[in-house]
Amino acid sequence: GLERAWPEARAAPLDAFFLAWPAQPAVALVWESGLAELWGADLGSAWRRLHATELCPRGAVRVVAAVAPRGRLVWCEERPGAGGRRVCVRTLEPGGETGARLGRTHVLLHHCPPFHLLASRKDVFLGPTASTWPGVAHILLAWNPSKGKVMVAAPRLGLSYSKSLNPKHGDTWDFRTLLRSFPGLLSPGEPLAVHTWAPTPQGLLMLDSRGTVSLVQAHGGTRTVSALQEAPVGLEGSAALGTFHGTLACVLGSTLELLDLGTGRLLERKVLSTDRVHLLEPAALAMKDREELQTRGGLHLLSALGLFHVGWEAPQSLELPSATDLVFEEACGYYQRRSLRGAQLTPEELRYSSTFQAPQALASILQGHLSPPALLTTLKAELRDYQGLEQLKAQLVAGEEEEAVWTELAHQEVARLLRTELTGEQLAQLHTVFQALPSAAWGATLRALQLQPDGNGRLSSQAPPDVWRKVLGGAAPGRELPTGILPAFELLCQCLCRLEPRWLPAFVEVAQQQGGPGWGAGGPGLPLYRRALAVLGEEGARPEALEIELLLGSRRPKAVLQAVGQLVQKKQWERALEAGLALGPSSPLLQSEIFKLLLAEFARHRQLDAHLPLLCCLCPPELAPDEILLLLRAHLPDEGGPPTPFPDPGAEPPLTVGLLKTLLEQTGAQGRPSGPVLGLYEDILWDPGTPPPTPPRGPMTVLQTVEQPGLEA
């Protein structure tokens, strides 16, 4: 129909481009003379010309190549004489009275050699032809309009450079000057003997005469994708390349090969009934076909016999369910958990059974039979989250291995699972996410639990109690978890121990603060610190510093005493004293036990002498001096011989009264009785420190002996 609308005796156009404008799709036709026309189809089958313009207003100019990337028309024109070839660009947008708006002409490159002109959705590529100058036949150019840069690469030499090239800023380059500004590009290189070019969203595909497919990426790097089983035979155009959802499709004559774009592995090989095929990109198809291609996978082949669709079924787990199916699946799991039946309930049974009416009611709401605005909005948002999650999974399996997609998948999956009851299948799914993407999964958990660190190394949480209840819940009585599957709390502790072990005690401490009767730290099961210690491994093989912090943070008397005992064995006296002082008035009995433990060490050796002020602060106020003396006497080392005024050389000095004075004075002052009755030796402790007055001195009397013979003194 379009051909019939042309004037008679007009030559065929140089090229034609489909413009997928939302309001009115159009076709752009470019002739060798420089004439460009835009045609649009009416509601019927008739075509009408929307706009016509001369790309080259001056005569004797010939257009040799043209492409139409998104929103632009780029062409290469050949000028007579010394003008040579140049590459020009005009913006091309829908609108206006004529149905299209064309911008001013801008020159990108002057004095270009013969080049192939190819375009993907983002880039315009200039590749060498058989008639390209010998010295530059190994060079490839790529212009990215959105970034305003031109990339010059020599794939065989492994070189690539980039320069600014933005027509809006008046940038234009002379080809010779451009190459001279890049060192090494003009070195002798093997020409690019390319049989077939194919621009794709991933870059530029090249098929050489030996059957090797290479990919030139946007940054200039080149990698070999695969080697085909057959080499191309015949002229250019007898082969076709294309990519569809991470799959590389190669058509050589009547053979179609499907390969994995990432690994180059052959997926399938088919023999076609025609020997000349065009591969159509999804953007050139109708919207309905595009949705089908995205959800089910496949490609479209255009040949002289017609338009064909080659499809392959995605795995069952990757099919995107409808909103109604999602409702029945969720309802099935809900009723299965709350019913007493042993047989597995299926969504089909729910769909066609009259036992449960809720799924039918929800499905009818989704189908539009009933439309309460608030309920409908809530359901649509919930189902949109499910469908978005399924789409992310399909993208990743299709080969779009972007880090942001993986992270978003982990965030959505963890957030969804924390809204469910974490038992059985849901817990196994959470394990899978944490094993595959530990960092992203832990980031999603931080967001769900609303954990915020402060400057003192502690964590706070603003999450609702219901979320913490699901996280802290252990295995239900009588229901053992499968081998290798940990409860949610143990799973989080294990992940945190691998990523940031120093935050594990703070996480356990904030979890203990959130604990409630029956499911948290105060429940009948194991306390949280014991559950966290079990993740660290068997006793004796755990990181000792981490174990001590968990024991101290538990605030349990036995655990704290165990931690202080380990600190005493490691001779970390100050840390042990601070642990006792941190308990404060909240646990005076435990503080007293820690004091007695450290007082025994004070009696045995002199390593605690430097920390005596802290030991005095730790001393319970109810202890009397005689009790302290008795405790000290029980732990003093046995003396091997009679006491000596000074220790032997090299031996540790013994405990002296001077060291005890501060401690005994403190306890004595706290417990001094108000009456005159004093215990044995107790008045010594309250001595004011001044001696009694000296008695008055009188004249000295000298005793004289009577000298008598025979009398002995």
Side-chain angles (χ1 to χ4, degrees):
L2 182 59
E3 286 183 322
R4 288 195 296 270
W6 297 346
E8 295 183 3
R10 177 182 288 190
L14 177 70
D15 216 331
F17 310 102
F18 175 74
L19 307 175
W21 290 340
Q24 183 184 20
V27 172
L29 305 175
V30 179
W31 275 267
E32 188 177 319
S33 62
L35 175 65
E37 293 182 350
L38 294 179
W39 290 76
D42 293 330
L43 295 178
S45 59
W47 287 79
R48 65 185 181 91
R49 189 170 67 175
L50 303 177
H51 187 76
T53 185
E54 289 288 345
L55 299 178
C56 313
R58 299 176 184 176
V61 175
R62 186 170 68 96
V63 175
V64 295
V67 291
R70 184 180 300 174
R72 291 171 180 83
L73 184 62
V74 184
W75 70 94
C76 181
E77 59 184 40
E78 191 176 58
R79 308 178 70 82
R85 298 193 181 199
R86 68 181 190 179
V87 179
C88 306
V89 60
R90 292 180 73 172
T91 57
L92 178 61
E93 298 175 356
E97 297 179 358
T98 60
R101 286 194 294 263
L102 282 161
R104 295 177 54 190
T105 300
H106 296 280
V107 180
L108 297 178
L109 289 172
H110 294 278
H111 304 107
C112 287
F115 268 121
H116 280 293
L117 203 57
L118 309 114
S120 66
R121 299 177 189 175
K122 299 183 296 183
D123 302 287
V124 177
F125 298 97
L126 284 79
T129 66
S131 58
T132 303
W133 306 333
V136 294
H138 62 288
I139 290 175
L140 179 72
L141 287 83
W143 174 53
N144 188 305
S146 60
K147 297 181 180 178
K149 290 186 177 295
V150 61
M151 184 270 298
V152 185
R156 298 288 174 82
L157 298 177
L159 299 175
S160 64
Y161 302 93
S162 64
K163 284 281 189 180
S164 173
L165 185 56
N166 194 338
K168 293 183 180 180
H169 299 162
D171 293 341
T172 180
W173 283 94
D174 181 84
F175 182 77
R176 298 184 180 92
T177 306
L178 182 66
L179 293 189
R180 282 197 294 267
S181 62
F182 297 135
L185 276 181
L186 293 179
S187 301
E190 182 182 355
L192 290 175
V194 178
H195 182 274
T196 302
W197 306 86
T200 67
Q202 294 84 4
L204 183 64
L205 286 172
M206 302 185 303
L207 172 64
D208 62 18
S209 56
R210 294 171 294 183
T212 302
V213 181
S214 304
L215 176 66
V216 180
Q217 297 165 315
H219 52 71
T222 305
R223 70 177 180 91
T224 301
V225 177
S226 179
L228 304 182
Q229 294 186 3
E230 298 179 6
V233 180
L235 302 175
E236 294 183 7
S238 61
L241 303 173
T243 58
F244 304 90
H245 289 288
T247 301
L248 171 64
C250 302
V251 179
L252 293 178
S254 59
T255 303
L256 169 64
E257 291 189 15
L258 302 176
L259 304 102
D260 187 281
L261 187 60
T263 63
R265 182 172 56 91
L266 179 65
L267 302 176
E268 195 166 354
R269 195 167 187 265
K270 289 180 175 291
V271 178
L272 309 177
S273 58
T274 180
D275 59 354
R276 190 168 179 84
V277 172
H278 294 281
L279 299 180
L280 299 186
E281 293 187 12
L285 304 173
M287 184 62 68
K288 181 178 179 182
D289 294 334
R290 256 192 291 176
E291 291 178 355
E292 180 187 0
L293 188 64
Q294 289 175 357
T295 57
R296 303 191 66 82
L299 56 93
H300 284 73
L301 308 177
L302 179 62
S303 70
L305 302 177
L307 178 65
F308 298 90
H309 173 249
V310 179
W312 53 92
E313 293 293 333
Q316 189 69 24
S317 60
L318 297 178
E319 291 186 358
L320 298 181
S322 65
T324 306
D325 293 334
L326 286 169
V327 168
F328 278 98
E329 288 178 9
E330 284 299 302
C332 178
Y334 177 85
Y335 287 122
Q336 185 74 52
R337 289 193 299 269
R338 285 157 179 77
S339 66
L340 298 177
R341 54 181 290 162
Q344 186 69 27
L345 191 62
T346 63
E348 289 73 18
E349 186 176 350
L350 273 184
R351 186 190 299 270
Y352 300 111
S353 172
S354 59
T355 306
F356 305 114
Q357 297 297 327
Q360 280 83 350
L362 291 177
S364 64
I365 291 172
L366 290 172
Q367 292 166 357
H369 301 299
L370 300 173
S371 56
L375 182 59
L376 183 62
T377 303
T378 303
L379 286 174
K380 281 186 175 180
E382 188 75 13
L383 292 172
R384 188 169 57 247
D385 290 344
Y386 277 105
Q387 288 177 323
L389 185 62
E390 295 297 328
Q391 288 174 355
L392 277 174
K393 292 178 181 177
Q395 288 178 15
L396 292 173
V397 173
E400 299 180 11
E401 299 182 1
E402 295 291 338
E403 184 177 356
V405 181
W406 284 107
T407 304
E408 182 63 25
L409 173 64
H411 282 184
Q412 289 196 26
E413 187 75 357
V414 171
R416 181 184 73 84
L417 290 171
L418 289 180
R419 291 195 297 267
T420 64
E421 295 295 332
L422 289 174
T423 56
E425 181 183 354
Q426 289 79 11
L427 199 55
Q429 292 176 2
L430 191 65
H431 265 259
T432 302
V433 177
F434 269 86
Q435 288 172 1
L437 306 163
S439 298
W442 177 250
T445 307
L446 282 180
R447 185 187 304 177
L449 298 179
Q450 302 179 34
L451 294 174
Q452 295 290 336
D454 59 13
N456 299 323
R458 296 182 178 273
L459 291 174
S460 62
S461 172
Q462 303 296 327
D466 186 60
V467 178
W468 276 105
R469 179 183 62 80
K470 296 173 183 176
V471 170
L472 299 182
R479 291 186 180 181
E480 296 296 331
L481 294 175
T483 305
I485 300 298
L486 300 174
F489 177 73
E490 279 82 349
L491 177 62
L492 296 180
C493 290
Q494 186 183 67
C495 179
L496 192 56
C497 190
R498 293 174 182 170
L499 297 177
E500 281 292 343
R502 63 188 182 93
W503 284 106
L504 180 60
F507 173 70
V508 176
E509 193 170 347
V510 74
Q512 290 173 160
Q513 297 169 5
Q514 304 294 328
W519 51 269
L526 286 176
L528 294 183
Y529 84 93
R530 293 274 299 277
R531 293 171 61 180
L533 283 174
V535 175
L536 298 180
E538 298 293 334
E539 189 172 357
R542 304 166 184 162
E544 194 169 3
L546 202 57
E547 180 181 2
I548 290 174
E549 293 297 330
L550 285 172
L551 292 171
L552 292 176
S554 69
R555 305 283 174 167
R556 296 281 183 121
K558 290 185 178 179
V560 174
L561 277 177
Q562 180 183 346
V564 173
Q566 293 183 19
L567 290 172
V568 167
Q569 292 178 2
K570 295 168 67 68
K571 299 183 180 181
Q572 297 183 6
W573 312 113
E574 188 172 0
R575 183 74 181 90
L577 288 163
E578 289 175 352
L581 292 172
L583 298 172
S586 61
S587 183
L589 184 60
L590 179 59
Q591 188 177 9
S592 175
E593 291 296 323
I594 295 176
F595 172 76
K596 293 176 181 179
L597 176 64
L598 293 173
L599 187 67
E601 296 295 323
F602 179 71
R604 295 189 185 105
H605 50 74
R606 305 276 54 81
Q607 298 178 19
L608 268 166
D609 292 355
H611 308 284
L612 187 59
L614 289 177
L615 186 64
C616 293
C617 295
L618 188 63
C619 178
E622 66 273 7
L623 276 182
D626 53 347
E627 294 176 325
I628 292 180
L629 290 173
L630 288 174
L631 288 172
L632 288 169
R633 182 69 185 87
H635 297 285
L636 284 173
D638 295 333
E639 296 179 355
T644 57
F646 300 101
D648 296 332
E652 191 175 50
L655 178 65
T656 62
V657 178
L659 290 172
L660 289 175
K661 184 177 181 181
T662 304
L663 184 61
L664 295 176
E665 281 182 347
Q666 174 181 322
T667 55
Q670 291 172 349
R672 180 172 185 174
S674 57
V677 180
L678 302 177
L680 184 62
Y681 307 118
E682 207 165 348
D683 56 339
I684 300 175
L685 300 176
W686 296 314
D687 187 357
T690 56
T694 305
R697 295 178 178 271
M700 294 182 63
T701 58
V702 180
L703 295 178
Q704 296 180 353
T705 59
V706 180
E707 294 183 0
Q708 293 181 1
L711 189 66
E712 295 181 358

